Amino acid sequence: MRIYFYLLFIFVIGLSARADAQQLPVNPLPVALGDPYILFDEHTDLYYMYGTGGTPNGFVAYSSPDLKDWKEEGVIYTASQEKAWGEKDFWAPEVYQWDGKFYLFYSAHWKNNPKNELENYKIGVAVSDCPTGPFTDLTGAPLFDPGYPIIDANVYVADDGKKYLYYSRCCYKHPVSSEIADWAKQKGWYDEIEESWVYGVELKADLSGVIGEPKLLLRPPLTMSDTQAEWESRSVVHREINRRWTEGSYLFKKGDTYYMMYSANHYAGPYYAVGYATSKSPMGPFEKSAHNPVLEKNNDQGGEVTGTGHNSILVGRDGQLYCVYHGRTTATGDERVVFIDPMEVGEDGILRVHGPTTNRR
């Protein structure tokens, strides 16, 4: 009997140690990627990380048993394949597992560019039998063309099995009238302010296209009195650039509420930050939280992190909810690196990210 309880004690301690280890990723991770996304695969019992960077005109993957130690798995997608439609700027990959297959959604600059646009971005889908690829484009063409450049694909599968695609319309050639635009023009800083907006649209079951017209879900505030205007306009106010972003959206459901996290400000600057909005439907309308931003730089509060943004969400093996995002530190300079911090949605419905944190020395 004593041996039985001893073995049970060791087993429980082992599980606790594994959970505790998993709950303490070492930030920042030694992984230089932007727009990070992590998939947990039950068959291999491993986490797989994807992101922008790591290889020219394609994507790489990393694997980990515990969110702390990461192994590079090499190139998983390359534009040198016969069916590739993109030619450069391969960004923001997200991988989903459905019916024994793995589907890679990503953004890239479309080869078909008769007007020679500087930002001819579209979204594609590639498929593989393995989370580490190789991934092959489904059709040899973008998923769809809404008539403007788009990036940052995110997919949500609703309770009824319908799949919804969320994406960001690029700022490119999208000047928007607003009080902040008028203010910046009066200051003599910028003639116009371009904006990116988040849209949603239903996907066809076979991922060959979309159903219906995209719906506008989130955009920067129109008035300066809007409570969101201060944090979403920092790149303009600090004269970084004449653009306001609403991008990098990620949708999840808690109870009967849909939470859409999103990033604002210049992705290459220190003021990149994350907020969220809520809705009772996956297609809105969404209301931005009064608690925004929920993730932002901390170098003005004694920390060393800036440029926190384009997050995804991971439910860990232990059930812990994690915010996965990129940022920069004093040590990494302009290079984007990955962070993983715990997050939660409280009983009050408020979303909280416990970060940014740094514990790597």
Side-chain angles (χ1 to χ4, degrees):
M1 185 62 71
R2 287 184 177 178
I3 294 177
Y4 170 80
F5 281 112
Y6 175 77
L7 293 176
L8 179 61
F9 174 79
I10 294 299
F11 175 74
V12 171
I13 291 298
L15 286 181
S16 299
R18 186 175 188 182
D20 289 343
Q22 182 175 308
Q23 291 173 4
L24 296 171
V26 182
N27 282 330
L29 275 60
V31 178
L33 292 177
D35 317 323
Y37 179 90
I38 297 179
L39 168 75
F40 177 67
D41 179 32
E42 293 183 351
H43 294 94
T44 60
D45 196 34
L46 292 173
Y47 297 96
Y48 294 92
M49 183 191 301
Y50 313 89
T52 300
T55 186
N57 298 329
F59 302 108
V60 300
Y62 290 79
S63 65
S64 173
D66 56 10
L67 299 179
K68 293 178 66 177
D69 298 312
W70 292 90
K71 171 188 174 185
E72 185 172 351
E73 296 287 352
V75 176
I76 62 163
Y77 174 91
T78 175
S80 63
Q81 64 176 274
E82 183 178 352
K83 297 177 74 174
W85 56 268
E87 62 178 350
K88 63 179 180 178
D89 297 341
F90 286 78
W91 296 338
E94 295 193 357
V95 176
Y96 302 85
Q97 185 177 7
W98 300 315
D99 302 323
K101 297 283 188 179
F102 295 86
Y103 295 90
L104 168 71
F105 287 76
Y106 65 94
S107 312
H109 194 275
W110 194 10
K111 297 176 183 177
N112 182 16
N113 192 10
K115 295 183 180 180
N116 197 30
E117 300 286 359
L118 292 177
E119 297 186 17
N120 195 37
Y121 300 125
K122 297 294 180 285
I123 289 169
V125 187
V127 63
S128 176
D129 294 323
C130 177
T132 55
F135 283 85
T136 303
D137 279 297
L138 276 179
T139 65
L143 182 61
F144 75 116
D145 182 3
Y148 47 80
I150 59 177
I151 57 173
D152 295 351
N154 173 244
V155 178
Y156 176 77
V157 182
D159 296 338
D160 59 5
K162 291 183 179 179
K163 295 181 176 69
Y164 294 92
L165 171 72
Y166 303 93
Y167 65 87
S168 179
R169 172 178 182 163
C170 294
C171 293
Y172 181 65
K173 292 185 177 180
H174 191 219
V176 178
S177 297
S178 68
E179 288 186 2
I180 190 71
D182 294 340
W183 176 81
K185 188 173 183 178
Q186 291 171 4
K187 287 278 189 179
W189 293 355
Y190 304 114
D191 291 333
E192 62 185 21
I193 302 296
E194 298 175 314
E195 294 184 358
S196 65
W197 297 353
V198 169
Y199 288 78
V201 67
E202 185 179 346
L203 284 169
K204 291 183 178 179
D206 62 359
L207 306 180
S208 63
V210 300
I211 299 171
E213 292 297 318
K215 183 179 180 181
L216 173 61
L217 301 178
L218 289 177
R219 59 180 293 184
L222 283 169
T223 65
M224 296 179 73
S225 62
D226 189 311
T227 56
Q228 310 293 329
E230 185 278 323
W231 81 274
E232 292 194 30
S233 305
R234 290 173 182 170
S235 286
V236 173
V237 172
H238 290 273
R239 301 187 68 179
E240 285 186 320
I241 196 169
N242 67 324
R243 288 182 165 185
R244 292 200 297 172
W245 281 266
T246 307
E247 65 176 16
S249 61
Y250 190 99
L251 190 82
F252 71 100
K253 188 180 182 183
K254 175 74 172 180
D256 62 352
T257 301
Y258 295 88
Y259 289 77
M260 178 176 284
M261 301 183 75
Y262 66 97
S263 296
N265 295 302
H266 187 24
Y267 70 92
Y271 300 100
Y272 204 42
V274 176
Y276 75 97
T278 58
S279 175
K280 294 301 180 182
S281 165
M283 289 295 284
F286 282 89
E287 181 179 355
K288 294 180 181 180
S289 171
H291 301 277
N292 289 341
V294 294
L295 181 67
E296 60 183 322
K297 69 186 185 76
N298 66 7
N299 67 329
D300 53 352
Q301 302 173 6
E304 56 181 319
V305 184
T306 64
T308 56
H310 198 126
N311 77 290
S312 59
I313 297 171
L314 168 70
V315 179
R317 187 191 288 109
D318 57 356
Q320 171 67 53
L321 202 62
Y322 293 97
C323 182
V324 184
Y325 60 97
H326 72 242
R328 299 174 178 85
T329 70
T330 304
T332 63
D334 291 334
E335 185 174 60
R336 295 183 293 183
V337 287
V338 180
F339 293 75
I340 304 175
D341 278 314
M343 61 174 284
E344 62 180 314
V345 176
E347 293 183 1
D348 54 7
I350 299 174
L351 186 157
R352 298 175 175 87
V353 178
H354 300 291
T357 64
T358 49
N359 49 16
R360 179 176 294 279
R361 292 290 183 266

